[in-house]
Amino acid sequence: MERQITLKDIAKEAGVAVSTVSRVVNRTQKNAASPQVQEKIWALVKKYNYVPNPVARSLKMASTTPAKRAKQTNKILCIMEDCASPLAQTFFNSIRLSLKETLAHTDYTFATLLVKNTETDDELQERFLQENSLGAIVLGNFTPDTLAAIQKQIPLLVCTGLTPVEDAYNQVISLLTTATTKALRYLHANGHKKIAYLGTVENASYKQVYAPNIKEKFGTDTLNEFSIECQADAASAYEALKEKIVCNSLPFSAIVCENLPIALGALKILNEHNISVPQDLSVLCLEENEQAAYFLPSLTTCKIPTQQLGKISIKILLDQIENGQDIPLKIELPVQMVERTSCQNISPSFPIH
């Protein structure tokens, strides 16, 4: 039986170390060797029809700690929560693209891994062994147990998004509750006191900011009247607001919409019933992207700085990797109001044109 060729054989013929051949063949480093050496190694791999032994490699990986494995790669992993919410997917994907664009100007590689909160420690360990990354940016609302299991396999983490985590983790956040507070203050400053909320009512924006604010000012009955519950899509928002209009129940001067699809559904039904925006009703959206400028009328929004969330997260992670920064950082980025034409100032002293 013909003896199977090994890395040692290829290294000997190429005149390089076995570790160099391993790095080139397993692609664990972008610049594992000079272009000439890599070309020579791949020529020998092709000549002898060499195939890496996956069993031996997995055993070797399993015998090393996450910290030791990290030294064998230059990959940065983006760990995204695998969830059913279209709103969350859209938001976190915009941060993911920022991460990818930022790393494109470095020597690091980038990969994305979808993870469910229901995965066990063993399942996560197996998946992370295959990825073999230096560190990770975590996007999503993971449970404390899942987050701890992730860090056990990938010690260098930065948690990024809309929800704060334990102080033991590096985190870069821009709170949706802050956006909701800013939206209500903006509308109050423009003379609106009775403000409705159109969206899901299980999120932090509604529970922690909107509901307590309205309840304190007007009581529980008004809160129930102003809360228009719907799913996070245009069709559901359309039907929910239509029911209010048909019942002649619009006792408010402004609506805060949870996301852009909800705002789209609201504008459609208001237009069909000849309710003019912003002359009859102001509409403000808690989500911003370039599409908001092309709504009719163009939407006033709260902008979560997704580009900056991604860039700063990468900066913190690379500081951990390259400089050994080991003090957990918590950075909260501000929310910006983007004023367009869907809101009107109705203060008595403000001239209406």
Side-chain angles (χ1 to χ4, degrees):
M1 182 177 178
E2 186 177 351
R3 184 176 71 86
Q4 185 176 1
I5 198 76
T6 66
L7 285 179
K8 187 175 181 180
D9 297 325
I10 294 176
K12 184 177 180 180
E13 189 165 339
V16 297
V18 175
S19 59
T20 301
V21 177
S22 176
R23 288 196 299 270
V24 171
V25 172
N26 292 313
R27 295 183 173 90
T28 56
Q29 289 186 14
K30 190 174 183 179
N31 301 312
S34 68
Q36 295 82 1
V37 170
Q38 291 193 51
E39 185 177 347
K40 190 174 184 179
I41 290 172
W42 284 116
L44 291 170
V45 168
K46 185 176 180 180
K47 174 182 176 181
Y48 294 113
N49 195 27
Y50 171 75
V51 178
N53 186 336
V55 175
R57 184 170 184 268
S58 64
L59 287 173
K60 181 179 179 182
M61 290 290 290
S63 67
T64 60
T65 65
K68 288 181 179 178
R69 289 198 303 273
K71 295 179 181 179
Q72 303 169 2
T73 182
N74 67 334
K75 182 192 292 184
I76 300 298
L77 197 60
C78 173
I79 300 174
M80 286 182 63
E81 181 189 3
D82 190 357
C83 63
S85 168
L87 178 60
Q89 289 175 351
T90 300
F91 173 75
F92 287 120
N93 193 53
S94 64
I95 299 178
R96 185 189 69 83
L97 292 176
S98 175
L99 299 173
K100 187 176 181 180
E101 290 169 3
T102 303
L103 282 176
H105 305 290
T106 71
D107 291 330
Y108 295 93
T109 59
F110 180 78
T112 302
L113 187 67
L114 294 177
V115 172
K116 294 181 182 294
N117 265 310
T118 54
E119 293 186 56
T120 66
D121 286 9
D122 289 342
E123 289 171 335
L124 290 173
Q125 180 180 13
E126 183 177 351
R127 297 186 70 188
F128 292 144
L129 277 173
Q130 295 172 356
E131 291 297 335
N132 188 27
S133 64
L134 268 172
I137 306 294
V138 179
L139 307 178
N141 297 317
F142 288 104
T143 65
D145 287 345
T146 301
L147 198 54
I150 292 172
Q151 190 178 46
K152 184 177 179 181
Q153 298 303 319
I154 307 178
L156 303 183
L157 295 180
V158 178
C159 300
T160 307
L162 301 172
T163 307
V165 295
E166 295 177 10
D167 291 341
Y169 298 98
N170 285 291
Q171 51 193 300
V172 183
I173 54 178
S174 188
L175 300 178
L176 194 56
T177 51
T178 302
T180 309
T181 300
K182 198 156 193 171
L184 292 177
R185 287 176 178 170
Y186 172 83
L187 291 170
H188 287 158
N190 282 276
H192 298 278
K193 306 304 177 186
K194 296 183 177 181
I195 303 166
Y197 183 94
L198 181 59
T200 59
V201 296
E202 294 302 319
N203 61 71
S205 293
Y206 179 85
K207 287 185 173 181
Q208 297 177 22
V209 180
Y210 177 80
N213 184 283
I214 297 299
K215 190 174 180 179
E216 179 183 354
K217 286 182 171 62
F218 302 106
T220 302
D221 290 342
T222 300
L223 172 63
N224 294 335
E225 189 176 9
F226 287 6
S227 302
I228 310 171
E229 184 176 2
C230 68
Q231 300 302 311
D233 61 83
S236 179
Y238 176 95
E239 293 297 333
L241 190 54
K242 179 181 179 180
E243 185 177 339
K244 285 280 187 181
I245 294 172
V246 170
C247 296
N248 294 315
S249 180
L250 293 180
F252 36 79
S253 61
I255 298 180
V256 173
C257 296
E258 184 181 343
N259 64 21
L260 286 172
I262 287 174
L264 179 62
L267 290 176
K268 178 175 172 58
I269 189 62
L270 291 171
N271 180 62
E272 289 178 2
H273 285 264
N274 297 314
I275 299 173
S276 180
V277 177
Q279 289 79 8
D280 299 326
L281 192 69
S282 290
V283 176
L284 186 149
C285 184
L286 296 177
E287 181 186 12
E288 158 67 15
N289 67 29
E290 65 277 2
Q291 298 174 25
Y294 297 96
F295 280 56
L296 191 63
S298 59
L299 274 175
T300 294
T301 63
C302 290
K303 183 178 181 180
I304 303 290
T306 53
Q307 284 283 327
Q308 288 72 23
L309 284 171
K311 289 179 180 179
I312 294 175
S313 297
I314 288 294
K315 184 176 181 180
I316 292 175
L317 182 59
L318 296 189
D319 194 26
Q320 290 185 83
I321 293 169
E322 297 172 0
N323 302 317
Q325 190 283 121
D326 59 357
I327 300 175
L329 300 177
K330 182 177 182 179
I331 298 176
E332 182 179 348
L333 301 186
V335 176
Q336 299 175 331
M337 289 298 304
V338 181
E339 293 189 67
R340 296 193 179 95
T341 61
S342 65
C343 291
Q344 179 170 273
N345 192 320
I346 61 171
S347 299
S349 60
F350 190 85
I352 304 296
H353 299 289

